[in-house]
Amino acid sequence: MRRPRRKAEDTREEILLAAEEQFRARGVSGCSIAHIAHALSMSPANVFKHFHSKLALADAICDRQITRIMGRLEDGGAPAPPPERLALVVRQLMETHLQNLRENPYMFEMIFVMREQSFTSAGRYKEKIEHLFVEVISEGVAAGIYHCTDLQKCARTAATAFVGVLHPVFIVNMSENELSQRRDELVDLVNAALQNPLAR
Amino acid sequence: MRRPRRKAEDTREEILLAAEEQFRARGVSGCSIAHIAHALSMSPANVFKHFHSKLALADAICDRQITRIMGRLEDGGAPAPPPERLALVVRQLMETHLQNLRENPYMFEMIFVMREQSFTSAGRYKEKIEHLFVEVISEGVAAGIYHCTDLQKCARTAATAFVGVLHPVFIVNMSENELSQRRDELVDLVNAALQNPLAR
């Protein structure tokens, strides 16, 4: 009984690969389910069976990219003191975001074209990023270096503070020098805030 | 001898008003110098005499909006301690950005359509924002509340940290509740960092 399910997963995978290619070639706004079906010599109805809308497709593509990004982050290396770990996490995130944007420039268009849509992948990614910060900050608190009473709030605030050096909209046109400088300054700022015993 | 110069300024003003209207009606990408000339019953050559490109026009429109935004900020109200002044400046900036986005929704498209262009207005605006932070932070340093050895750097870092609650790309879809919460948390974070005597 396993074969049919396996086949559905394969088809889904094929559709996603073709969609990424089509997005890359035609841009997000220039690309329809029909184009993707045509590229696969499939009927549009068959594509619709797996993805009910272009949004669902785009969302699934984002999810794949998030999985790739998180995979690239996991080789954390040797443990370091929390302030340096924070710097490392932000540096790694920035690098994978830059790499993702180079590999998939259509991501930038997607953010604009589909800005009114709600991506479930975006919420999941936000959670994963915040979880990275929760880990670093809780280690710092345990080591007596960071001061933070509400971990979730501290992590969310840190994640928001780094938006200017992590989000595609900002990193797309900044020089690598300026980006690294701003990132390092932000890391110092967030570290100073987290190390302030008087902070809320 | 004043009349001809005055007339050139009037024409420039008329063109900018018409361009704003056309951007609003047709969108930035759907709008050409020819459309704007047509709306004014002017020859395109005449418009080109004042603005050599759509970029120059868009840049001038941004400059007008920046002037409006800065004008709205100037009624600062009663002086407050630096940490509260920081909160006030960020709150005012956020409100004027939200208002500007409501009044000129094409601004969002402009950011996307012209992302590869270099706006001189954007650089000037960044400087003005950083200057606002320089003022607040230097007051805090003078009062012995903030600790900062490089004012320009501290101001630039603070400005970058607030991007996530000030830039159109982020504020366009966030609920007012979430926006205010994130803004207040970021203000606390930046205040904690600036008040940390051990910070660099």
Coordinates of all heavy atoms in Angstrom, one line a residue, chain A residues 108-117 126 130 153-154 156-165 167 169-170 172-173 178 181-182 185-186 188-197 199-200, chain B residues 105 108-113 115-117 126 130 153-154 156-165 167 169-170 172-173 178 181-182 185-186 188-200:
Chain A
F108 N 12.7 38.1 -3.6 CA 12.5 39.5 -3.3 C 11.2 40.0 -4.0 O 10.4 40.7 -3.3 CB 13.6 40.3 -3.9 CG 13.6 41.7 -3.4 CD1 14.3 42.1 -2.3 CD2 12.9 42.7 -4.1 CE1 14.3 43.4 -1.8 CE2 12.9 44.0 -3.6 CZ 13.6 44.3 -2.5
E109 N 10.9 39.5 -5.2 CA 9.7 39.8 -5.9 C 8.5 39.2 -5.1 O 7.4 39.9 -5.0 CB 9.7 39.3 -7.3 CG 8.6 39.9 -8.2 CD 8.3 39.1 -9.4 OE1 9.1 38.2 -9.7 OE2 7.2 39.3 -10.0
M110 N 8.7 38.0 -4.6 CA 7.6 37.3 -3.9 C 7.1 38.2 -2.7 O 5.9 38.3 -2.5 CB 8.1 36.0 -3.4 CG 7.0 34.9 -3.2 SD 7.7 33.4 -2.5 CE 8.0 32.5 -4.0
I111 N 8.1 38.7 -2.0 CA 7.8 39.5 -0.8 C 6.9 40.7 -1.2 O 5.9 41.0 -0.5 CB 9.1 40.1 -0.2 CG1 9.9 38.9 0.4 CG2 8.8 41.1 0.9 CD1 11.3 39.3 0.8
F112 N 7.2 41.3 -2.4 CA 6.4 42.4 -2.8 C 5.0 42.0 -3.4 O 4.0 42.5 -3.0 CB 7.2 43.2 -3.9 CG 6.4 44.3 -4.4 CD1 6.1 45.5 -3.7 CD2 5.9 44.3 -5.7 CE1 5.4 46.5 -4.2 CE2 5.1 45.3 -6.3 CZ 4.9 46.4 -5.5
V113 N 5.1 41.0 -4.4 CA 3.9 40.7 -5.1 C 2.8 40.0 -4.1 O 1.6 40.3 -4.3 CB 4.2 39.7 -6.2 CG1 3.0 39.1 -6.9 CG2 5.1 40.3 -7.3
M114 N 3.3 39.3 -3.2 CA 2.4 38.6 -2.3 C 2.3 39.2 -0.9 O 2.0 38.5 0.0 CB 2.8 37.1 -2.2 CG 2.7 36.5 -3.6 SD 3.0 34.7 -3.5 CE 2.0 34.2 -5.0
R115 N 2.6 40.5 -0.8 CA 2.6 41.1 0.5 C 1.3 41.1 1.2 O 1.2 41.2 2.4 CB 3.2 42.6 0.4 CG 2.2 43.5 -0.3 CD 2.9 44.9 -0.5 NE 2.0 45.8 -1.3 CZ 1.9 45.8 -2.6 NH1 2.5 44.9 -3.3 NH2 1.2 46.7 -3.2
E116 N 0.2 41.0 0.5 CA -1.1 41.1 1.1 C -1.5 39.6 1.6 O -2.5 39.5 2.3 CB -2.2 41.6 0.2 CG -1.7 42.9 -0.6 CD -2.5 44.1 -0.1 OE1 -3.7 44.1 -0.4 OE2 -1.9 45.0 0.4
Q117 N -0.8 38.7 1.1 CA -1.2 37.3 1.4 C -0.5 36.9 2.8 O 0.5 37.5 3.2 CB -0.6 36.3 0.4 CG -0.7 36.8 -1.0 CD -2.1 36.5 -1.6 OE1 -3.0 36.0 -0.9 NE2 -2.2 36.7 -2.9
K126 N 9.7 32.8 11.6 CA 9.8 33.8 12.7 C 10.0 33.0 14.0 O 10.9 33.4 14.8 CB 8.5 34.7 12.8 CG 8.8 36.1 13.0 CD 7.5 37.0 12.9 CE 6.7 36.8 14.2 NZ 5.4 37.6 14.1
E130 N 13.2 33.1 16.4 CA 13.1 33.5 17.8 C 13.6 32.4 18.7 O 14.2 32.6 19.8 CB 11.6 33.9 18.1 CG 11.3 35.2 17.6 CD 9.9 35.7 17.8 OE1 9.2 35.1 18.7 OE2 9.4 36.6 17.1
K153 N 10.0 37.3 25.2 CA 10.0 38.7 24.9 C 11.4 39.2 24.5 O 11.5 39.8 23.5 CB 9.5 39.5 26.1 CG 9.1 40.9 25.7 CD 8.7 41.8 26.9 CE 10.0 42.5 27.5 NZ 9.6 43.5 28.5
C154 N 12.4 38.8 25.2 CA 13.8 39.2 24.9 C 14.2 38.7 23.5 O 14.8 39.4 22.7 CB 14.8 38.7 25.9 SG 14.7 39.5 27.5
R156 N 12.2 37.8 21.0 CA 11.4 38.5 20.0 C 11.9 39.9 19.7 O 12.1 40.3 18.6 CB 9.9 38.6 20.5 CG 9.0 39.2 19.4 CD 7.5 39.2 20.0 NE 7.4 39.9 21.2 CZ 6.7 39.6 22.3 NH1 6.1 38.4 22.3 NH2 6.7 40.3 23.4
T157 N 12.3 40.6 20.8 CA 12.9 41.9 20.6 C 14.2 41.9 19.9 O 14.5 42.7 19.0 CB 13.0 42.6 22.0 OG1 11.8 42.5 22.7 CG2 13.3 44.1 21.8
A158 N 15.1 40.9 20.3 CA 16.3 40.8 19.6 C 16.1 40.5 18.1 O 16.7 41.1 17.3 CB 17.2 39.7 20.3
A159 N 15.2 39.6 17.8 CA 14.9 39.3 16.4 C 14.5 40.5 15.7 O 14.9 40.7 14.5 CB 13.9 38.1 16.3
T160 N 13.6 41.3 16.3 CA 13.2 42.5 15.6 C 14.3 43.5 15.4 O 14.4 44.2 14.3 CB 12.0 43.2 16.4 OG1 11.1 42.2 16.7 CG2 11.4 44.3 15.6
A161 N 15.2 43.6 16.4 CA 16.3 44.5 16.3 C 17.2 44.2 15.1 O 17.8 45.1 14.5 CB 17.1 44.6 17.6
F162 N 17.3 42.9 14.8 CA 18.2 42.5 13.7 C 17.6 42.5 12.3 O 18.3 42.1 11.3 CB 18.8 41.1 14.0 CG 19.8 41.1 15.2 CD1 19.6 40.4 16.3 CD2 21.0 41.8 15.0 CE1 20.5 40.4 17.4 CE2 21.9 41.8 16.1 CZ 21.6 41.1 17.3
V163 N 16.3 42.8 12.2 CA 15.6 42.8 10.9 C 16.4 43.6 9.9 O 16.5 43.2 8.7 CB 14.2 43.4 11.1 CG1 13.7 44.1 9.9 CG2 13.3 42.2 11.5
G164 N 17.0 44.8 10.3 CA 17.7 45.7 9.4 C 18.9 45.1 8.7 O 19.4 45.6 7.8
V165 N 19.4 44.0 9.3 CA 20.6 43.3 8.7 C 20.3 41.9 8.3 O 21.2 41.1 7.9 CB 21.9 43.3 9.6 CG1 22.4 44.8 9.8 CG2 21.6 42.7 10.9
H167 N 16.7 41.0 6.9 CA 15.6 40.9 5.9 C 16.1 41.3 4.5 O 16.8 42.2 4.3 CB 14.5 41.9 6.3 CG 13.2 41.6 5.6 ND1 13.0 42.0 4.3 CD2 12.1 41.0 6.0 CE1 11.8 41.6 4.0 NE2 11.2 41.0 5.0
V169 N 14.9 42.8 2.0 CA 14.6 44.2 1.6 C 15.9 45.1 1.9 O 16.2 46.0 1.1 CB 13.4 44.8 2.2 CG1 13.3 46.2 1.9 CG2 12.2 44.0 1.7
F170 N 16.5 44.8 3.0 CA 17.6 45.7 3.4 C 19.0 45.1 2.9 O 19.8 45.9 2.5 CB 17.7 45.9 4.9 CG 16.4 46.5 5.3 CD1 15.5 45.7 6.0 CD2 16.1 47.8 5.0 CE1 14.3 46.3 6.3 CE2 14.9 48.4 5.4 CZ 14.0 47.6 6.0
V172 N 19.6 43.4 0.3 CA 19.7 43.2 -1.2 C 20.6 44.3 -1.8 O 21.3 44.0 -2.7 CB 18.3 43.2 -1.8 CG1 17.7 44.6 -1.9 CG2 18.3 42.6 -3.2
N173 N 20.6 45.5 -1.2 CA 21.4 46.5 -1.9 C 22.5 47.1 -1.0 O 23.2 48.0 -1.5 CB 20.5 47.7 -2.3 CG 19.8 47.4 -3.6 OD1 20.4 46.7 -4.4 ND2 18.7 48.0 -3.9
E178 N 29.3 47.4 4.6 CA 28.3 48.2 5.4 C 27.5 47.2 6.2 O 27.2 47.4 7.4 CB 27.4 49.0 4.5 CG 26.7 50.1 5.4 CD 25.7 51.0 4.6 OE1 25.7 50.9 3.4 OE2 24.9 51.6 5.3
Q181 N 29.4 45.8 9.2 CA 29.6 46.9 10.2 C 28.3 47.1 11.0 O 28.3 47.0 12.2 CB 30.0 48.2 9.5 CG 30.6 49.1 10.5 CD 30.7 50.6 9.9 OE1 30.5 50.7 8.7 NE2 30.9 51.5 10.8
R182 N 27.2 47.2 10.3 CA 25.9 47.4 11.0 C 25.6 46.2 11.9 O 25.0 46.4 12.9 CB 24.8 47.6 10.0 CG 25.0 49.0 9.3 CD 23.7 49.4 8.6 NE 23.8 50.7 8.1 CZ 22.8 51.6 8.1 NH1 21.6 51.2 8.5 NH2 22.9 52.8 7.6
E185 N 27.7 46.2 15.0 CA 27.2 47.3 15.9 C 25.9 46.9 16.6 O 25.7 47.1 17.8 CB 27.1 48.6 15.2 CG 28.4 49.2 14.7 CD 28.2 50.4 13.8 OE1 27.1 50.8 13.4 OE2 29.3 51.0 13.4
L186 N 25.0 46.3 15.8 CA 23.8 45.8 16.4 C 24.0 44.7 17.5 O 23.3 44.7 18.5 CB 22.8 45.3 15.3 CG 21.9 46.3 14.7 CD1 21.1 45.6 13.6 CD2 20.9 46.9 15.7
D188 N 26.6 44.3 19.3 CA 27.1 45.0 20.5 C 26.0 45.7 21.3 O 25.9 45.6 22.5 CB 28.1 46.1 20.1 CG 29.5 45.5 19.7 OD1 29.7 44.3 19.9 OD2 30.3 46.3 19.1
L189 N 25.1 46.3 20.5 CA 23.9 47.0 21.2 C 23.1 45.9 21.9 O 22.7 46.1 23.1 CB 23.1 47.7 20.1 CG 21.8 48.4 20.7 CD1 22.1 49.9 20.8 CD2 20.6 48.2 19.8
V190 N 22.7 44.9 21.3 CA 21.8 43.9 21.9 C 22.6 43.2 23.1 O 22.0 43.0 24.1 CB 21.3 42.8 20.9 CG1 20.6 41.7 21.6 CG2 20.5 43.5 19.8
N191 N 23.9 42.9 22.9 CA 24.6 42.4 24.0 C 24.7 43.3 25.2 O 24.6 42.9 26.4 CB 26.1 42.0 23.6 CG 26.2 40.6 23.1 OD1 25.5 39.7 23.6 ND2 27.0 40.4 22.1
A192 N 24.9 44.6 24.9 CA 24.9 45.6 26.0 C 23.6 45.6 26.8 O 23.5 45.7 28.0 CB 25.2 47.0 25.5
A193 N 22.5 45.6 26.0 CA 21.1 45.6 26.6 C 20.9 44.3 27.5 O 20.5 44.4 28.6 CB 20.1 45.7 25.5
L194 N 21.3 43.2 26.9 CA 21.1 41.9 27.7 C 22.0 41.8 28.9 O 21.6 41.1 29.8 CB 21.3 40.7 26.7 CG 20.2 40.5 25.6 CD1 20.7 39.5 24.6 CD2 18.9 40.1 26.3
Q195 N 23.1 42.5 28.9 CA 24.0 42.4 30.0 C 23.8 43.5 31.0 O 24.5 43.6 32.0 CB 25.5 42.5 29.5 CG 25.9 41.3 28.7 CD 27.3 41.4 28.1 OE1 28.3 41.5 28.9 NE2 27.4 41.5 26.8
N196 N 22.8 44.4 30.8 CA 22.5 45.4 31.7 C 21.6 44.9 32.8 O 20.4 44.5 32.6 CB 21.8 46.6 31.0 CG 21.6 47.8 32.0 OD1 21.7 47.6 33.2 ND2 21.3 48.9 31.4
P197 N 22.1 44.8 34.1 CA 21.3 44.1 35.2 C 20.1 45.0 35.5 O 19.2 44.4 36.1 CB 22.3 44.1 36.3 CG 23.4 45.0 36.0 CD 23.5 45.2 34.5
A199 N 18.1 46.4 33.3 CA 17.1 46.4 32.3 C 15.9 45.5 32.7 O 16.0 44.6 33.5 CB 17.7 45.8 31.0
R200 N 14.8 45.9 32.1 CA 13.6 45.2 32.4 C 13.6 43.8 31.7 O 14.0 43.7 30.5 CB 12.4 46.0 31.8 CG 11.9 47.0 32.8 CD 10.7 47.7 32.3 NE 11.1 48.9 31.5 CZ 10.2 49.7 31.0 NH1 8.9 49.5 31.1 NH2 10.6 50.8 30.3
Chain B
P105 N 0.1 55.3 -0.7 CA 0.4 53.8 -0.8 C 1.3 53.5 -1.9 O 2.0 52.4 -1.8 CB -1.0 53.2 -1.0 CG -2.0 54.3 -1.3 CD -1.4 55.5 -0.8
F108 N 5.1 52.3 -1.3 CA 5.5 50.9 -1.1 C 5.9 50.3 -2.5 O 7.0 49.6 -2.6 CB 4.3 50.1 -0.6 CG 4.8 48.8 -0.1 CD1 5.2 48.6 1.2 CD2 4.8 47.7 -0.9 CE1 5.6 47.4 1.7 CE2 5.3 46.4 -0.5 CZ 5.7 46.3 0.9
E109 N 5.2 50.6 -3.5 CA 5.5 50.1 -4.8 C 6.9 50.7 -5.3 O 7.7 50.0 -5.9 CB 4.4 50.4 -5.9 CG 4.6 49.6 -7.2 CD 3.8 50.3 -8.3 OE1 3.0 51.2 -8.1 OE2 4.1 49.9 -9.5
M110 N 7.0 52.0 -5.0 CA 8.2 52.7 -5.4 C 9.5 52.0 -4.9 O 10.5 51.8 -5.5 CB 8.2 54.1 -4.9 CG 9.0 55.1 -5.7 SD 9.0 56.7 -4.9 CE 7.6 57.5 -5.7
I111 N 9.4 51.6 -3.6 CA 10.5 50.9 -2.9 C 10.9 49.7 -3.7 O 12.1 49.4 -3.9 CB 10.2 50.5 -1.5 CG1 10.0 51.8 -0.7 CG2 11.2 49.6 -0.9 CD1 9.3 51.6 0.7
F112 N 9.8 49.0 -4.2 CA 10.1 47.7 -4.9 C 10.6 48.0 -6.3 O 11.6 47.5 -6.8 CB 8.9 46.8 -4.9 CG 9.1 45.6 -5.7 CD1 9.9 44.6 -5.3 CD2 8.4 45.4 -6.9 CE1 10.1 43.4 -6.0 CE2 8.6 44.3 -7.7 CZ 9.5 43.3 -7.3
V113 N 9.8 48.8 -7.1 CA 10.1 49.0 -8.5 C 11.4 49.7 -8.7 O 12.1 49.4 -9.7 CB 8.9 49.9 -9.1 CG1 9.3 50.3 -10.5 CG2 7.6 49.1 -9.1
R115 N 14.1 49.6 -6.6 CA 15.0 49.2 -5.6 C 16.5 49.2 -6.1 O 17.4 49.3 -5.3 CB 14.7 47.8 -5.1 CG 14.9 46.7 -6.2 CD 14.3 45.4 -5.6 NE 14.4 44.3 -6.6 CZ 13.5 44.1 -7.6 NH1 12.5 45.0 -7.8 NH2 13.7 43.1 -8.5
E116 N 16.7 49.1 -7.4 CA 18.0 49.1 -7.9 C 18.6 50.6 -8.2 O 19.7 50.7 -8.5 CB 18.1 48.4 -9.3 CG 17.3 47.1 -9.3 CD 18.2 45.9 -9.4 OE1 18.8 45.7 -10.5 OE2 18.2 45.1 -8.5
Q117 N 17.7 51.5 -8.1 CA 18.1 52.9 -8.3 C 18.6 53.5 -7.0 O 18.2 53.0 -5.9 CB 16.9 53.8 -8.7 CG 16.0 53.1 -9.7 CD 16.4 53.2 -11.1 OE1 17.5 53.7 -11.4 NE2 15.6 52.9 -12.0
K126 N 18.0 59.2 5.8 CA 18.7 58.4 6.8 C 19.5 59.4 7.7 O 19.5 59.2 8.9 CB 19.7 57.5 6.1 CG 19.7 56.1 6.6 CD 20.6 55.2 5.7 CE 22.1 55.5 5.9 NZ 23.0 54.7 5.1
E130 N 19.1 59.8 11.7 CA 20.3 59.6 12.6 C 20.5 60.9 13.4 O 20.9 60.8 14.6 CB 21.5 59.2 11.8 CG 21.4 57.7 11.3 CD 22.6 57.3 10.5 OE1 23.6 57.9 10.5 OE2 22.4 56.2 9.8
K153 N 28.0 56.7 15.8 CA 27.8 55.2 15.7 C 26.6 54.8 16.5 O 25.8 54.0 16.1 CB 29.1 54.5 16.2 CG 29.1 53.1 15.9 CD 30.3 52.4 16.6 CE 29.9 51.8 17.9 NZ 31.0 50.9 18.5
C154 N 26.5 55.3 17.8 CA 25.3 54.9 18.6 C 24.0 55.3 17.9 O 23.0 54.5 17.9 CB 25.4 55.7 19.9 SG 26.7 55.0 21.0
R156 N 23.5 55.7 14.6 CA 23.3 54.8 13.5 C 22.8 53.5 13.9 O 21.9 52.9 13.3 CB 24.6 54.7 12.7 CG 24.6 54.0 11.4 CD 25.9 54.0 10.7 NE 26.9 53.4 11.6 CZ 28.2 53.9 11.7 NH1 28.5 55.0 11.1 NH2 29.1 53.2 12.5
T157 N 23.4 52.9 15.0 CA 22.9 51.6 15.4 C 21.5 51.6 15.9 O 20.7 50.7 15.6 CB 23.9 51.1 16.5 OG1 25.2 51.3 16.1 CG2 23.6 49.7 16.8
A158 N 21.2 52.7 16.7 CA 19.8 52.8 17.2 C 18.8 52.9 16.0 O 17.8 52.2 15.9 CB 19.6 54.0 18.1
A159 N 19.2 53.7 15.0 CA 18.3 53.8 13.8 C 18.1 52.5 13.1 O 17.0 52.1 12.7 CB 18.9 54.9 12.8
T160 N 19.2 51.7 13.0 CA 19.1 50.4 12.4 C 18.2 49.4 13.2 O 17.4 48.7 12.7 CB 20.5 49.8 12.2 OG1 21.3 50.7 11.6 CG2 20.4 48.5 11.3
A161 N 18.3 49.5 14.5 CA 17.6 48.7 15.4 C 16.1 48.9 15.2 O 15.3 48.0 15.4 CB 18.0 48.8 16.8
F162 N 15.7 50.2 14.9 CA 14.3 50.5 14.8 C 13.7 50.3 13.4 O 12.5 50.5 13.2 CB 14.0 51.9 15.3 CG 14.2 52.1 16.8 CD1 15.2 53.0 17.3 CD2 13.3 51.5 17.6 CE1 15.3 53.1 18.6 CE2 13.5 51.6 19.0 CZ 14.5 52.5 19.5
V163 N 14.5 49.8 12.5 CA 14.0 49.6 11.1 C 12.8 48.7 11.1 O 11.8 49.0 10.3 CB 15.2 49.0 10.3 CG1 14.7 48.1 9.2 CG2 16.0 50.2 9.6
G164 N 12.7 47.7 11.9 CA 11.6 46.7 11.9 C 10.3 47.3 12.3 O 9.3 46.7 12.1
V165 N 10.3 48.5 13.0 CA 9.0 49.1 13.3 C 8.9 50.5 12.6 O 7.9 51.2 12.9 CB 8.9 49.3 14.9 CG1 8.7 48.0 15.5 CG2 10.0 50.1 15.5
H167 N 10.2 50.9 9.0 CA 10.2 50.8 7.5 C 8.9 50.4 6.9 O 8.3 49.4 7.5 CB 11.3 49.9 7.1 CG 11.7 50.0 5.6 ND1 10.9 49.4 4.7 CD2 12.7 50.6 5.0 CE1 11.4 49.7 3.5 NE2 12.5 50.4 3.7
V169 N 8.0 48.5 4.6 CA 7.9 47.0 4.3 C 7.4 46.2 5.5 O 6.6 45.3 5.4 CB 9.2 46.5 3.9 CG1 9.2 44.9 3.8 CG2 9.6 47.0 2.5
F170 N 7.7 46.7 6.7 CA 7.3 45.9 7.9 C 6.0 46.5 8.5 O 5.2 45.7 9.0 CB 8.4 45.9 9.0 CG 9.6 45.3 8.4 CD1 10.7 46.1 8.1 CD2 9.6 44.0 8.2 CE1 11.8 45.5 7.5 CE2 10.7 43.4 7.6 CZ 11.8 44.2 7.3
V172 N 3.6 47.9 7.0 CA 2.4 47.9 6.1 C 1.4 46.8 6.5 O 0.2 47.0 6.3 CB 2.9 47.7 4.6 CG1 3.3 46.3 4.3 CG2 1.8 48.2 3.6
N173 N 1.9 45.7 7.0 CA 0.9 44.6 7.3 C 0.8 44.2 8.7 O 0.1 43.3 9.1 CB 1.3 43.4 6.5 CG 0.8 43.4 5.1 OD1 -0.3 44.1 4.8 ND2 1.4 42.8 4.1
E178 N 0.4 45.0 17.5 CA 1.7 44.3 17.4 C 2.8 45.4 17.2 O 3.9 45.3 17.8 CB 1.7 43.3 16.3 CG 2.8 42.3 16.5 CD 3.0 41.3 15.3 OE1 2.1 41.2 14.5 OE2 4.1 40.8 15.3
Q181 N 3.6 47.2 20.4 CA 4.2 46.4 21.4 C 5.7 46.2 21.0 O 6.6 46.3 21.9 CB 3.5 45.0 21.4 CG 3.9 44.2 22.6 CD 3.5 42.7 22.5 OE1 2.7 42.3 21.6 NE2 4.1 41.9 23.3
R182 N 5.9 45.9 19.7 CA 7.3 45.7 19.3 C 8.1 47.0 19.4 O 9.3 46.9 19.8 CB 7.4 45.3 17.8 CG 6.8 43.9 17.7 CD 7.3 43.3 16.3 NE 6.9 41.9 16.2 CZ 7.6 41.0 15.6 NH1 8.7 41.4 15.0 NH2 7.2 39.8 15.6
E185 N 9.0 47.5 23.1 CA 10.1 46.5 23.5 C 11.4 46.9 23.0 O 12.4 46.8 23.7 CB 9.7 45.1 23.0 CG 8.5 44.5 23.8 CD 8.0 43.2 23.2 OE1 8.5 42.8 22.2 OE2 7.1 42.7 23.8
L186 N 11.4 47.4 21.7 CA 12.7 47.9 21.1 C 13.2 49.1 21.8 O 14.5 49.2 22.0 CB 12.5 48.2 19.6 CG 12.7 47.0 18.6 CD1 12.4 47.5 17.2 CD2 14.1 46.5 18.7
D188 N 12.8 49.9 24.9 CA 13.4 49.4 26.2 C 14.7 48.8 26.0 O 15.7 49.0 26.7 CB 12.5 48.3 26.8 CG 11.2 48.9 27.4 OD1 11.1 50.1 27.6 OD2 10.3 48.1 27.8
L189 N 14.9 48.0 24.9 CA 16.1 47.4 24.6 C 17.2 48.4 24.3 O 18.3 48.3 24.9 CB 16.0 46.4 23.3 CG 17.3 45.7 22.9 CD1 17.3 44.3 23.3 CD2 17.4 45.8 21.3
V190 N 16.9 49.4 23.5 CA 17.9 50.4 23.1 C 18.2 51.2 24.4 O 19.4 51.6 24.6 CB 17.4 51.3 21.9 CG1 18.4 52.4 21.7 CG2 17.3 50.4 20.7
N191 N 17.2 51.6 25.1 CA 17.5 52.3 26.4 C 18.4 51.5 27.3 O 19.3 52.1 28.0 CB 16.1 52.7 27.1 CG 15.6 54.0 26.6 OD1 16.4 54.9 26.4 ND2 14.3 54.2 26.6
A192 N 18.1 50.2 27.4 CA 18.9 49.4 28.3 C 20.4 49.4 27.8 O 21.3 49.5 28.6 CB 18.4 47.9 28.4
A193 N 20.6 49.3 26.5 CA 21.9 49.3 26.0 C 22.6 50.6 26.2 O 23.8 50.6 26.7 CB 21.9 49.0 24.5
L194 N 21.9 51.7 26.0 CA 22.5 53.0 26.1 C 22.8 53.3 27.6 O 23.7 54.2 27.9 CB 21.7 54.1 25.5 CG 21.6 54.1 24.0 CD1 20.4 55.0 23.5 CD2 22.9 54.5 23.4
Q195 N 22.1 52.7 28.5 CA 22.3 53.0 29.9 C 23.3 52.1 30.6 O 23.5 52.2 31.8 CB 20.9 52.9 30.7 CG 20.0 54.1 30.3 CD 18.6 53.9 30.9 OE1 18.5 54.0 32.2 NE2 17.6 53.7 30.1
N196 N 23.8 51.1 29.8 CA 24.8 50.2 30.4 C 26.1 50.8 30.4 O 26.7 51.1 29.3 CB 24.8 48.9 29.5 CG 25.7 47.8 30.2 OD1 26.5 48.1 31.1 ND2 25.5 46.6 29.7
P197 N 26.7 51.1 31.6 CA 28.0 51.8 31.6 C 29.1 51.0 31.1 O 30.2 51.5 30.7 CB 28.2 52.1 33.1 CG 27.2 51.2 33.8 CD 26.1 50.8 32.9
L198 N 28.9 49.7 31.0 CA 30.0 48.8 30.5 C 30.0 48.7 29.0 O 30.9 48.1 28.4 CB 29.9 47.4 31.2 CG 30.0 47.5 32.7 CD1 29.6 46.1 33.3 CD2 31.3 47.9 33.2
A199 N 29.0 49.2 28.4 CA 28.9 49.0 26.9 C 29.9 49.8 26.2 O 30.4 50.8 26.7 CB 27.5 49.4 26.4
R200 N 30.3 49.3 25.0 CA 31.3 50.0 24.2 C 30.6 51.2 23.6 O 29.5 51.2 23.1 CB 31.7 49.1 23.1 CG 32.8 48.2 23.6 CD 33.3 47.3 22.5 NE 32.5 46.1 22.4 CZ 32.7 45.1 21.5 NH1 33.7 45.3 20.6 NH2 32.0 44.0 21.4

